[in-house]
Amino acid sequence: YYDSQFSKKKMKNFIERYNIDTSKCINSNFKTFSELFERRTIDKIDKTKEHLISPVYGKIKAYKINNNLIVNIKDSPYKIEDIVKNKDISKDYRNGTMLVIRMSLTDYHNFSFIDDGVIIKQYEIPGKLHSVRSISKKYKVYKHNKRTVTVMKTDNFGEVTQVEVG
């Protein structure tokens, strides 16, 4: 339904209710409700060592990674190993920093990489596409949802792993 032209009638109320500024969009002539979540913005990106580029719009939390780190996301506890499903990658980031960025309903749902660089490794972790809202009380969505893990050598930040949870 949300990919059809019939869903367009829901957009106006949604935009007004959540105060979404469509003037910052490259194209604000959305044909479907789904296109509203895929909107591209006109943001200028400053790629330098002084600026870490957020891969998505959302709420950010930072954690120092140690052997005992358990991150509580959507009322469920996670270890790094649960999310990346790779013990070698998990060990490589001990004493590093983990950023968790959660998109909300009103954030546009595109992502980018945090910096220019080269992909070293990329793999998919199969899973369901559970909604991260109501069903997250029943399922550990960040452990069971489909994920793409990308390990990169970045120009400004060294080796970084980015995990997109679908």
Side-chain angles (χ1 to χ4, degrees):
Y1 171 77
Y2 291 109
D3 290 327
S4 75
Q5 63 184 2
F6 302 111
S7 66
K8 187 173 181 170
K9 63 184 175 195
K10 290 189 168 271
M11 281 192 291
K12 184 178 182 215
N13 287 339
F14 185 84
I15 289 168
E16 289 172 1
R17 179 177 179 192
Y18 293 105
N19 197 27
I20 296 172
D21 184 359
T22 58
S23 70
K24 295 182 179 182
C25 297
I26 291 171
N27 177 12
S28 59
N29 185 22
F30 309 112
K31 294 179 180 76
T32 69
F33 193 80
S34 291
E35 284 183 11
L36 178 62
F37 289 93
E38 299 166 3
R39 64 193 181 272
R40 300 218 192 290
T41 60
I42 310 169
D43 295 328
K44 181 169 173 42
I45 298 174
D46 181 10
K47 295 181 181 177
T48 63
K49 290 180 182 179
E50 291 78 32
H51 299 104
L52 177 71
I53 307 303
S54 179
V56 296
Y57 281 36
K59 308 260 186 303
I60 300 175
K61 285 191 176 183
Y63 302 90
K64 182 74 175 164
I65 301 171
N66 61 41
N67 290 332
N68 302 318
L69 177 65
I70 296 176
V71 179
N72 194 352
I73 307 171
K74 301 290 275 181
D75 298 324
S76 294
Y78 298 94
K79 292 183 178 182
I80 294 175
E81 295 86 4
D82 295 333
I83 298 170
V84 298
K85 294 282 189 204
N86 184 310
K87 288 185 190 259
D88 292 333
I89 290 174
S90 302
K91 284 191 274 185
D92 287 345
Y93 291 102
R94 296 288 182 232
N95 301 316
T97 303
M98 176 180 181
L99 301 177
V100 176
I101 308 170
R102 288 188 35 217
M103 294 186 303
S104 73
L105 181 63
T106 59
D107 293 321
Y108 81 102
H109 286 57
N110 287 322
F111 71 90
S112 62
F113 293 115
I114 66 161
D115 194 14
D116 289 333
V118 177
I119 294 175
I120 298 170
K121 176 193 273 190
Q122 188 172 50
Y123 59 96
E124 283 199 20
I125 300 171
K128 304 283 184 192
L129 291 175
H130 294 300
S131 165
V132 294
R133 292 189 321 160
S134 59
I135 201 155
S136 66
K137 301 285 187 219
K138 184 175 180 183
Y139 297 99
K140 291 178 116 183
V141 294
Y142 288 86
K143 187 174 179 178
H144 297 291
N145 264 23
K146 179 180 175 181
R147 285 159 282 154
T148 300
V149 178
T150 305
V151 181
M152 323 169 248
K153 173 74 174 136
T154 67
D155 292 352
N156 293 304
F157 303 102
E159 188 174 302
V160 173
T161 297
Q162 182 170 313
V163 181
E164 296 93 31
V165 179

